[in-house]
Structure formats: C-alpha cells, structure tokens
Amino acid sequence: MPCSVVQMTSVHRAFDPRIYLKECATLAAAGYKVTLIAPNAEGDVVSGGIRLRALTPPRNRIERFLRTIPQVYRAALEEDAAIYHYHDPELMPVGALLLLHGKKVIYDVHEDYSGSMGGKKWIPSLLRGIAAVGVRWCERVFAVRCSRIVVATPTIAAIFPGSRVTLVQNFPWIRELDCADAAPYADREPIVAHVGVLSMDRGLVEMAKAVEIVSARRPVKLVLAGKVIPGAGPGIDPERWKELVEHAGMLSRPQVAALLGRARIGIVTLHPTGNYVNAQPTKLYEYMSAGLPVVVSDFPVCRRVIEPANCGLLVDPLDPAAIAHAIEWLLAHPAEAEEMGRRGRRAVSDLYNWEREGATLVAAYAELAADGKAS
C-alpha cells in the first residue's frame, strides 16, 4: 500500500505552482497517496493522483487565523496520514500538534519569514521588529523539532542548522512553459513580459517608466500578468501609460506559456528591500526556460546565474533609465537577444530545473517513509 502524505496550506491558493504543480505532482508520480488541504472556492478536486481537500477561502486574515487554521488541523487529523508537509509559518502550531500525535512532519520554508516582516505593510511599522523576533522564535521552538525542513534557497538553508534540512529550489519544469505556437523570435512583437505578483517594491512603476522612455525611440509594450497587491495601483497613471502597459490579469500556466511565446524579453526588477536581495525569483528561471533573454535586478544571487550563462542584462532596479537602456539594447539586437535566450534555456535544462529538485524531494520522503512506522 502506498505511503499516504498530506500537504497543507492556509495561505497559498490551492493550485500554487510550488505546492500543487511541482511537489504534489512529483510525489503522486513517485507512487505516494497525496492529499492537499488548502482553501479552494470550487470545492474538492481529484486530478493527476492528487486529492484536493478544499477549505472555504477566508475573507480576511482574522478569519484565516480563527477559522482556517483550526480547519486545517481537524482535516489533517481526519486524514491520519504517515507524513504531513506544511507550507506556512502560521501552521507551525499545527505541525507541533501533529508531532505530538506521533506523525512525521515537514516544514517547507519558502522565504526568510523573519526577514520579510519589515516589508509587511499590513503590520504597523512599530510592530514589525517584534513580529520578526516572534517568527524567528517560533521557528526555533516549533520548526526545529520537525522531522525534516525543506527550504527553497541556500540563504534560507543557512537559517536552519542541522542535518534535517533539505534544499529543494523552486525551479521550473524544463518543458512546462514551452509554447507550440510560439512565433519565431525575430518575428515577435516588442513585448516585455512580467509574470507574477505586481507591487511597488517589485518594480511596477520603474518598469512602466522604462518602457515609456524606450517608446520615445522605438515601439515597445509592457505586458503584466499576475495579482496586483493592494496599494500598488496609485503609482500607475492609467491615462499616461494606457498604450504602453497592458495588465492581462491572472493567467493559467498554458496562458503564461502563450504570453512568453510571443514576448521578446522577460523582466524581473525587484527592489533591494526585505528578502528580495537574496531571493531566487522563480519568474527569472521561468523566462529562461521559455528561451527569453532577461532584464533582472543586479543582486549577487541573480548575477551568479546571469553572468555564467550570459543570458540577460543586469540593471539597477531603482533606475528607470538603466532598465530602459537594457530593454532597448535587447530590442535593437534581436540576434544577440535570441542567443541569450537559447543560453538561458540550456542553463535551465542543465542546472535550474524542477526535475533535479523533485528527485531531491522524493529522496527525502523515501528516507522518512523508511524510518520507523511511516507506511
């Protein structure tokens, strides 16, 4: 009988790329009986060997803490699985209670949550330092007792000493964002694509200003796909940029592939704030996997990817003129830009892919399943 595993989230959407499309899918393909407990307004779903046990999405943070988290715990107990895997720091108490029930528990750390508290606008500024200390304390009390800690980046791994830490980086599937109908690169529109959450500290205004600068000399359009964080809108002037900036909204993965298949450039210009300096932006590797040259913030982590692969241009994310210069160069040199895209695709195929990371995850699960009573 296959080992039963439960993944849990109270924060992420049910079909989150890391949780559902990568980790759950990989475990199901490896023969595990996989259940995901997550908020989903459309109800329960069974697909691809994954059973989604849906919770009613909370309307706000208070409801999430008072209703959703207890629902996650009750549903987890009812599943009586061998291994539990949670993805949100607010579920640390749930993980601790499951450990008391004799379960094997994995904490999946997507980011340095303590370090990110300074950028949480919903937390009063005077309380952000206290919140950071509180998160770090909880991780030391609850998380370190987990059976295994899975981390998304080497920077996060350094926070959790010990042999139970497994690095599973959030790289793309090699072929996921291939587009059968992709136009030949030289024939594509001058589209700069940004896929992911949209906010001021993710460079929304600087990207818009950059394409405005470029538009004075050549055609260009910025296409944005993703959720707009509340408060991001005031920095954008719809009238001023209506011909230059298009917001495509939330896209499915095939729709993302289609967008990247008609774009000339992928852009990710995170500001040097919070955890972004040490982040490994998933969208960077997705652009590379789709064969796009990239314009990316000049941070050490990004430089270690871009320079060896020679697959894009590094810029000061706070300088629209520098971003514009990079965009214009790539548009003006399509042959060189296309070759950058090819090199980026090769780098993903060789190094930065989920196939390798998924194998690491499956190996970690196999160790837990083989240890003691996991069955």
Side-chain angles (χ1 to χ4, degrees), residues 307-331:
E307 289 186 341
N310 189 14
C311 61
L313 299 175
L314 297 158
V315 297
D316 178 351
L318 302 180
D319 185 352
I323 299 170
H325 179 75
I327 291 171
E328 188 166 12
W329 191 93
L330 291 170
L331 293 177

Side-chain angles (χ1 to χ4, degrees), residues 111-118 128 131-136 139 275:
E111 61 180 277
D112 176 1
Y113 295 111
S114 177
S116 70
M117 289 298 108
R128 290 173 194 167
V133 172
V135 170
R136 186 56 49 83
E139 287 181 330
N275 289 326

Side-chain angles (χ1 to χ4, degrees), residues 139-218:
E139 287 181 330
R140 288 174 178 171
V141 171
F142 294 119
V144 296
R145 289 169 171 77
C146 286
S147 312
R148 187 65 60 103
I149 300 173
V150 169
V151 297
T153 71
T155 301
I156 301 169
I159 299 172
F160 299 94
S163 60
R164 288 175 295 163
V165 176
T166 300
L167 176 63
V168 179
Q169 299 175 93
N170 203 25
F171 296 149
W173 293 98
I174 293 174
R175 313 298 301 186
E176 181 194 5
L177 295 177
D178 283 358
C179 178
D181 299 325
Y185 187 84
D187 297 338
R188 296 184 186 186
E189 300 173 68
I191 290 175
V192 181
H194 179 281
V195 177
V197 175
L198 301 165
S199 64
M200 303 294 280
D201 56 2
R202 292 170 186 252
L204 183 56
V205 171
E206 288 79 10
M207 288 188 290
K209 287 182 177 178
V211 296
E212 183 178 44
I213 294 170
V214 174
S215 71
R217 293 183 285 273
R218 63 174 56 246

Side-chain angles (χ1 to χ4, degrees), residues 269-283:
T269 48
L270 302 173
H271 286 189
T273 58
N275 289 326
Y276 291 158
V277 173
N278 295 314
Q280 293 183 173
T282 302
K283 62 179 70 67

